Amino acid sequence: MAEPSNENVKRTLSELEDDEACISPSFIKSDNVTPAKRKKSVSSGLPEVFEMDELTHDQRLAAYLTIFQQCTPAMVIAALAECMRENIAKTGWRAVWKPTEFSSFILVQVEEAPVSDGFQALIRIDDSALAVESDDEGEGQTSRSAIETYLGVHDNTVSLTELSPVYDESGYLDDTALALEHLRFFMKYLWRLSDEEDEGSYSFLERTLVPRLKFYYEMSSDVLPESLVVVYTECMKEYKEKRVLLSKMQSQLSDSDSECEDLNESRIALSIMAVHQELEALETKMERMENPTLRHMVTSLCSIDGLNSSPKSVLAKNLQTRISESSSEAVTHLVGERVTAGMIQDLHLPRETFVQFHTSISEAVSASDDGDIILLFPGTHSASGLANFYFSLTFIGLGNPEDTIISCRGLMDALDLSGSSVSFQNIKFYDEQCSWLLSSSNSKSFEAINCIFEGGGVQLYGNGEMKLEECEIFGALAYGVCILSGSRATLKNCNIHNNGSNTGEDCGILIEVDTRDHMDSTLVDITGNRIHHNQGPGLLMVDSEEGQKIYRDRHLKDLEAITNFKGALNDNSFQSNVGGDFKHSVKLTEQDEKASEMEEKDVSPQVTVE
């Protein structure tokens, strides 16, 4: 299977978004979504069904994009049910039914679909089926009378995920087969119990579905270490088993109606609570393995010894590698208001690791030396003291970036880094609203991977180096990202949106160049980013030596004619930026200026940079 591409993810999302609607249930009719028609046999004696096992990452993603778009977790099930109603043939088709309760395949007639909550179908056993066929893993056939008894208890309704439409050459059932496959895959690999209870206002697709889908295909294509795949598979197996157990226990509790069973009901209720806690622990463990930062850390290792390494021990090995590269006495600093023995044990740090415990970032920085790593436990940490060092440090949040927050409230305007090399991973920076959350006037280089910047932007000063990857930047009063002349910046797969306060120079990304001959060039690599809904232009370029700036709509090819600027802008998407997609006030050569003005009369502004 092809390795998933984040650039494709973000570009496709931008192409399919519709600001007016959250739910778009109809599938897109294109080769990227609809696979070539294939058929397969599930059991001897039964008709062939549609083959859907070879759907690619991009085909599945494109379908889910049309279904969910900007749905919050609470809206997902309704959007999925609407998709089923829009795409599944209502009646008059045959399917092979594989019930979870029996080891058999049964040929059935679908009399109505969907019914009930949108994920059930009304069926009857097909009259032409002389017998039900056993699964290859089953111990034998299930009697027809047992099947009919089961259907009677359930009012002849079954889950749509258990149905595989019989292959039809005419095309009548193409959408039905595809919709059922996306439903089955989603429920099996992408949806969890905690998602249904999540009341968050974020996009389920971008924050949850995309990383889970990517992780699934990375496991399938052998991109990840075998040890990580083994641990994740075991967690998922245990998770599904406990989900089944929880469902049975809840059924027992609802069926109990006798007063003499009060004691038993209490025991069942306590057991249900215990299973809920176990499920939450498993979900947290899987989320850590799906986390992009942890994936980067794992895949950066050359090798992992043995198959008993958990993701946390992988983290420990990576930490140990970083420690050995810097100093034989390097220290791993753990920061949290309350750090328990269990929390430390979960990290599986090597016995020889030097560890110090702190209640604040300021304490950890004061006790650090060049090359140390500071691990931040989930919670809200003050940014105080974060800029008061002049050596290299790495800060890693444990968990999702939403869980580990660095609050910049109380700062004058920006957290101005001074370390020679600073790395942030898996962290959310937050302020209510300011111009800058992070600035680098005194730092030689810094990077942020899988971080969130809410309420302020990121600024890179001249002669500095910056890397932003898999980050979200929104809510800044001025620019989302500011790259000053003479600096070197890399922005990859970031989501830069809703920045600016409707003043002249507000924008998503500001790039400054100094066109004087003796000045250093500004070097940028901006690839695979979504730049949308900013108050000014999506991308604004200015000449630092120009007096009165006159901004004009430009074409991105004009960049080639700018002195002291070298840039690569590939696979970015621009959408709904108030000031347009690209403007600049940088003086071009006379020849390029005339050519640009001629094309502006004939060519409409570009929206997507390919």
Side-chain angles (χ1 to χ4, degrees):
M1 296 182 183
E3 184 177 351
S5 165
N6 253 2
E7 289 84 354
N8 289 340
V9 168
K10 295 180 182 295
R11 182 169 64 251
T12 307
L13 178 60
S14 175
E15 291 169 353
L16 298 180
E17 270 186 339
D18 177 3
D19 291 337
E20 301 300 322
C22 173
I23 301 172
S24 179
S26 298
F27 292 126
I28 298 175
K29 305 300 180 183
S30 70
D31 292 337
N32 193 44
V33 180
T34 306
K37 288 179 64 172
R38 298 186 182 92
K39 55 185 176 180
K40 67 177 181 180
S41 175
V42 294
S43 182
S44 60
L46 290 177
E48 293 177 312
V49 299
F50 285 84
E51 167 66 78
M52 293 290 179
D53 297 337
E54 298 302 320
L55 282 174
T56 67
H57 169 273
D58 287 348
Q59 286 171 336
R60 292 192 191 277
L61 176 62
Y64 292 134
L65 287 169
T66 64
I67 297 169
F68 300 122
Q69 296 193 26
Q70 292 299 317
C71 288
T72 65
M75 302 166 69
V76 165
I77 291 300
L80 196 58
E82 179 67 14
C83 173
M84 296 303 108
R85 285 190 288 269
E86 291 288 331
N87 290 279
I88 293 178
K90 307 304 179 188
T91 187
W93 49 281
R94 296 193 303 168
V96 174
W97 172 39
K98 175 61 178 69
T100 56
E101 288 79 3
F102 307 115
S103 298
S104 297
F105 293 104
I106 303 111
L107 184 63
V108 299
Q109 286 279 352
V110 177
E111 298 190 328
E112 184 181 355
V115 296
S116 186
D117 59 0
F119 305 111
Q120 302 285 319
L122 182 65
I123 67 167
R124 62 176 174 82
I125 298 178
D126 192 277
D127 294 333
S128 64
L130 299 179
V132 292
E133 300 290 333
S134 67
D135 189 350
D136 291 338
E137 299 178 358
E139 298 179 356
Q141 292 183 351
T142 305
S143 68
R144 179 158 181 159
S145 61
I147 298 294
E148 290 175 341
T149 300
Y150 173 86
L151 287 175
V153 171
H154 293 85
D155 298 323
N156 288 332
T157 60
V158 300
S159 172
L160 287 172
T161 60
E162 299 175 355
L163 298 177
S164 298
V166 171
Y167 185 80
D168 183 287
E169 192 69 45
S170 69
Y172 171 65
L173 293 178
D174 287 4
D175 282 355
T176 297
L178 194 57
L180 292 179
E181 171 59 22
H182 289 310
L183 172 65
R184 184 163 35 245
F185 185 91
F186 178 82
M187 290 301 189
K188 185 174 183 179
Y189 298 110
L190 307 178
W191 186 248
R192 293 178 191 155
L193 180 63
S194 58
D195 299 329
E196 195 168 353
E197 301 166 351
D198 193 336
E199 298 179 355
S201 59
Y202 59 84
S203 166
F204 173 82
L205 182 102
E206 290 190 64
R207 184 176 298 185
T208 304
L209 187 147
V210 168
R212 286 180 187 172
L213 184 64
K214 179 180 179 181
F215 189 82
Y216 171 85
Y217 275 89
E218 285 185 334
M219 287 199 303
S220 303
S221 55
D222 298 326
V223 173
L224 301 175
E226 185 179 358
S227 59
L228 178 60
V229 175
V230 169
V231 173
Y232 185 87
T233 303
E234 290 176 351
C235 283
M236 181 60 75
K237 180 181 178 182
E238 185 179 358
Y239 179 81
K240 292 177 180 178
E241 290 173 350
K242 291 192 179 297
R243 283 291 304 270
V244 173
L245 176 62
L246 179 64
S247 178
K248 291 181 178 178
M249 294 169 67
Q250 289 172 333
S251 296
Q252 290 177 357
L253 190 62
S254 61
D255 292 341
S256 178
D257 55 5
S258 173
E259 293 184 3
C260 64
E261 294 181 352
D262 286 346
L263 181 59
N264 189 43
E265 287 182 9
S266 299
R267 290 174 178 171
I268 295 175
L270 290 173
S271 298
I272 288 175
M273 292 176 59
V275 174
H276 263 291
Q277 293 175 348
E278 292 171 353
L279 284 170
E280 289 177 0
L282 288 169
E283 287 169 352
T284 300
K285 191 173 183 179
M286 288 188 290
E287 286 173 0
R288 288 177 179 174
M289 286 183 268
E290 293 162 350
N291 185 277
T293 297
L294 182 56
R295 272 206 302 281
H296 293 319
M297 295 171 67
V298 172
T299 54
S300 67
L301 297 174
C302 295
S303 63
I304 298 176
D305 298 328
L307 295 181
N308 295 321
S309 301
S310 71
K312 293 172 185 176
S313 64
V314 170
L315 170 61
K317 289 177 182 290
N318 192 39
L319 294 176
Q320 186 61 30
T321 301
R322 297 287 296 273
I323 289 170
S324 62
E325 289 175 351
S326 56
S327 169
S328 59
E329 295 184 356
V331 176
T332 297
H333 302 267
L334 308 180
V335 180
E337 290 187 2
R338 296 180 62 187
V339 179
T340 66
M343 293 164 67
I344 301 169
Q345 191 174 24
D346 284 344
L347 293 174
H348 292 280
L349 296 175
R351 290 178 179 272
E352 62 272 20
T353 303
F354 291 95
V355 177
Q356 289 186 9
F357 307 97
H358 311 280
T359 58
S360 69
I361 292 177
S362 179
E363 288 182 12
V365 169
S366 297
S368 295
D369 203 348
D370 188 53
D372 282 1
I373 296 174
I374 298 177
L375 302 182
L376 305 178
F377 282 101
T380 299
H381 305 266
S382 171
S384 176
L386 190 52
N388 299 331
F389 62 93
Y390 299 91
F391 42 83
S392 299
L393 281 179
T394 296
F395 298 83
I396 301 176
L398 300 175
N400 291 316
E402 297 87 355
D403 300 330
T404 306
I405 302 169
I406 293 181
S407 174
C408 298
R409 296 181 64 181
L411 301 179
M412 290 298 293
D413 194 35
L415 177 60
D416 195 358
L417 300 177
S418 55
S420 60
S421 177
V422 188
S423 175
F424 297 103
Q425 302 176 28
N426 246 33
I427 295 170
K428 177 178 179 178
F429 294 85
Y430 172 78
D431 200 347
E432 291 182 347
Q433 262 197 334
C434 63
S435 296
W436 311 115
L437 278 171
L438 209 60
S439 183
S440 65
S441 61
N442 299 305
S443 178
K444 292 181 180 179
S445 69
F446 76 92
E447 68 174 9
I449 300 175
N450 195 39
C451 290
I452 298 173
F453 298 89
E454 179 181 354
V458 180
Q459 181 172 237
L460 173 64
Y461 276 83
N463 299 316
E465 187 171 349
M466 172 182 71
K467 175 183 177 183
L468 301 178
E469 185 172 339
E470 302 280 356
C471 292
E472 183 179 12
I473 304 168
F474 65 99
L477 286 178
Y479 323 118
V481 179
C482 177
I483 303 167
L484 299 183
S485 61
S487 57
R488 300 172 300 282
T490 299
L491 278 69
K492 288 191 175 181
N493 305 328
C494 293
N495 185 8
I496 303 168
H497 63 96
N498 296 98
N499 296 291
S501 56
N502 205 23
T503 62
E505 293 187 0
D506 292 350
C507 61
I509 301 174
L510 174 73
I511 301 176
E512 181 187 82
V513 296
D514 191 329
T515 55
R516 292 177 293 177
D517 292 339
H518 63 283
M519 299 305 294
D520 292 333
S521 295
T522 304
L523 310 177
V524 301
D525 180 359
I526 301 177
T527 302
N529 302 282
R530 294 184 59 230
I531 306 161
H532 60 101
H533 296 91
N534 296 287
Q535 283 298 323
L539 176 62
L540 176 64
M541 293 193 66
V542 300
D543 190 331
S544 60
E545 288 303 307
E546 284 291 303
Q548 182 179 4
K549 298 181 176 63
I550 301 175
Y551 300 111
R552 303 181 62 179
D553 290 315
R554 296 291 191 181
H555 302 297
L556 289 167
K557 66 178 184 60
D558 288 343
L559 298 176
E560 300 172 1
I562 297 176
T563 304
N564 290 340
F565 175 78
K566 296 180 181 178
L569 284 80
N570 302 302
D571 298 323
N572 301 287
S573 66
F574 296 83
Q575 185 180 28
S576 302
N577 296 293
V578 174
D581 297 319
F582 174 51
K583 291 180 182 290
H584 80 66
S585 65
V586 183
K587 186 176 181 180
L588 306 179
T589 64
E590 185 176 348
Q591 181 179 357
D592 287 315
E593 179 75 20
K594 290 180 179 179
S596 180
E597 288 177 355
M598 289 294 293
E599 289 203 15
E600 284 176 10
K601 297 177 181 179
D602 303 324
V603 182
S604 58
Q606 296 177 347
V607 175
T608 303
V609 184
E610 299 286 2

